[in-house]
Amino acid sequence: MEVGGCLGDVLSRLDDLEGVVWEPYHKDGPGRPPRNPLGIFKALIVKRIRSIPSDRELYWRLWSSPKLREICDIEDYERPYHPSQLTRFRQRIGPERLEGIMNSILSKLVDAGVVKGEVIACDATFVKAYSKRDPHDDSRGCSDPEAGVGRAGKTYELGYKLHLAVDSASELPIAYAVAPANENEKKHASRLLEKAVKAVKGNVKVFVADSQYSSQRLRRNISSRGVQPVIPYPANQRPKEAEFLRVDKHFRTHGPERLKSLYRHRASVERTISRLKQHLNLESHKARGLRNIAIHVLLCLIAMLLTALTAIKHGKPQQIRAIKRLT
């Protein structure tokens, strides 16, 4: 398939958001007119979808591919977007506007009935920091002091955690939070739930997460919203409920069949995180600082939602997760 095929169709879904992208820029008055912000935004989405490792590499790809230049709104007489222009765009657009864009795309998917949000699954994944540890304080980064040391698989590394809430039926992200890696999942679960409930217009009925989220305060908070918490109790906690869920060291679930069945939905968030890492460059970045990491994460999430929206527009709901096939 040629470069401008479905990839161009995916990027065309951003055209309705041109006004939002232009907000931090001036169109009239003194000074040099800016490069097309919508085109820069499209180029940054291409960077994720095509797994391009750096802004410099994206710059040379745009030089060498006329089709890629065309779908990123670069005229024949114009140079590609320079890495410095990409950096300035990210700083101007900010995570707040990007989250608004994400919610706008998500709203279209909710209205189309693709994202129902009745059962949401939550988990966190480690994102390595682009920095070494500070030799004077190894709990933080040298060039990125906002990063923290947290568990990364079987070891501890410097970085951040992406906390993600996913609609288990469609396996699409509906809410996110980014924090230093040393902060526990429970600290961000309530905010994640609040965002998720708002994103799917109050349709959430079940909240599924692993035992890292187990706390009475969080369970009460979830229940107060009319949502059922499905969180296994760790071995060191004694549940008050007559029926409860546990997961042993071999990852076998024990408890009522109804809870065990609902707990299986947790795999959906793991598959979503896997797609973000394998197909959308989540782990490949050179961002420093919490704000810049949030921008990087949001661009990855927006790219995933855009491919799902394109599949719906093509009448192929079975391909909402087929990122590589569509692009």
Side-chain angles (χ1 to χ4, degrees):
M1 183 181 293
E2 65 177 14
V3 172
C6 282
L7 180 56
D9 199 18
V10 169
L11 297 179
S12 70
R13 306 299 159 197
L14 292 171
D15 291 342
D16 295 340
L17 300 164
E18 186 173 9
V20 179
V21 179
W22 267 97
E23 280 178 2
Y25 289 84
H26 74 279
K27 289 186 177 182
D28 304 307
R32 180 183 296 177
R35 292 297 299 270
N36 182 2
L38 183 61
I40 295 176
F41 192 17
K42 290 179 178 180
L44 289 172
I45 296 298
V46 168
K47 181 183 175 184
R48 270 76 193 169
I49 291 175
R50 287 299 170 89
S51 299
I52 299 173
S54 67
D55 289 350
R56 181 67 61 180
E57 176 67 21
L58 175 61
Y59 179 68
W60 291 115
R61 294 275 189 99
L62 290 170
W63 262 121
S64 61
S65 173
K67 271 292 182 183
L68 211 54
R69 288 162 58 87
E70 180 185 341
I71 63 177
C72 292
D73 300 340
I74 300 173
E75 301 293 342
D76 293 338
Y77 60 86
E78 291 181 317
R79 290 173 174 268
Y81 306 118
H82 192 268
S84 62
Q85 292 171 327
L86 302 177
T87 300
R88 285 196 294 271
F89 172 83
R90 285 190 289 258
Q91 294 308 309
R92 287 192 175 195
I93 197 77
E96 297 80 16
R97 284 190 182 89
L98 285 176
E99 188 167 1
I101 289 171
M102 173 185 164
N103 290 332
S104 176
I105 299 168
L106 188 58
S107 178
K108 294 178 181 178
L109 292 166
V110 172
D111 292 341
V114 178
V115 175
K116 294 182 172 62
E118 293 181 354
V119 180
I120 64 169
C122 297
D123 202 359
T125 187
F126 180 82
V127 179
K128 190 174 181 179
Y130 188 63
S131 171
K132 294 181 179 180
R133 294 195 196 186
D134 188 335
H136 304 292
D137 181 4
D138 65 358
S139 65
R140 65 175 194 168
C142 183
S143 59
D144 186 359
E146 291 185 276
V149 176
R151 182 177 288 278
K154 295 183 179 180
T155 185
Y156 287 86
E157 291 191 39
L158 181 74
Y160 296 88
K161 275 185 182 177
L162 165 60
H163 302 266
L164 200 62
V166 168
D167 171 43
S168 68
S170 63
E171 296 183 9
L172 292 174
I174 57 177
Y176 92 106
V178 175
N182 58 320
E183 293 185 3
N184 191 273
E185 283 86 339
K186 290 188 282 289
K187 182 176 179 179
H188 303 278
S190 295
R191 182 160 62 103
L192 206 60
L193 175 61
E194 183 180 348
K195 284 185 175 183
V197 170
K198 185 177 180 180
V200 297
K201 302 175 183 178
N203 291 334
V204 181
K205 295 179 180 177
V206 180
F207 178 99
V208 183
D210 63 21
S211 57
Q212 284 289 337
Y213 292 81
S214 181
S215 80
Q216 288 300 330
R217 178 182 294 180
L218 178 59
R219 291 173 198 275
R220 286 195 298 268
N221 187 12
I222 295 170
S223 299
S224 68
R225 296 177 178 272
V227 179
Q228 179 187 3
V230 179
I231 304 170
Y233 283 88
N236 62 350
Q237 289 184 7
R238 291 187 177 183
K240 297 178 180 179
E241 294 88 343
E243 293 185 339
F244 60 90
L245 192 66
R246 284 201 193 277
V247 177
D248 63 26
K249 63 180 180 180
H250 301 293
F251 303 104
R252 294 174 299 198
T253 54
H254 304 274
E257 284 300 324
R258 178 179 56 83
L259 293 179
K260 288 165 65 176
S261 177
L262 287 171
Y263 186 68
R264 294 189 190 101
H265 288 275
R266 199 184 73 84
S268 61
V269 67
E270 294 179 347
R271 288 191 288 267
T272 302
I273 289 171
S274 177
R275 292 186 192 100
L276 287 168
K277 291 181 176 180
Q278 290 183 15
H279 303 314
L280 294 171
N281 253 18
L282 177 65
E283 293 182 303
S284 178
H285 70 89
K286 294 184 179 180
R288 295 188 179 97
L290 191 62
R291 177 183 169 85
N292 291 330
I293 288 290
I295 290 169
H296 167 66
V297 165
L298 279 162
L299 288 168
C300 294
L301 297 178
I302 288 169
M304 177 175 279
L305 293 174
L306 282 174
T307 56
L309 186 60
T310 304
I312 296 304
K313 297 295 183 181
H314 284 189
K316 298 178 180 179
Q318 71 279 8
Q319 292 186 9
I320 58 174
R321 296 180 292 274
I323 297 168
K324 288 301 179 184
R325 179 177 295 182
L326 282 170
T327 58

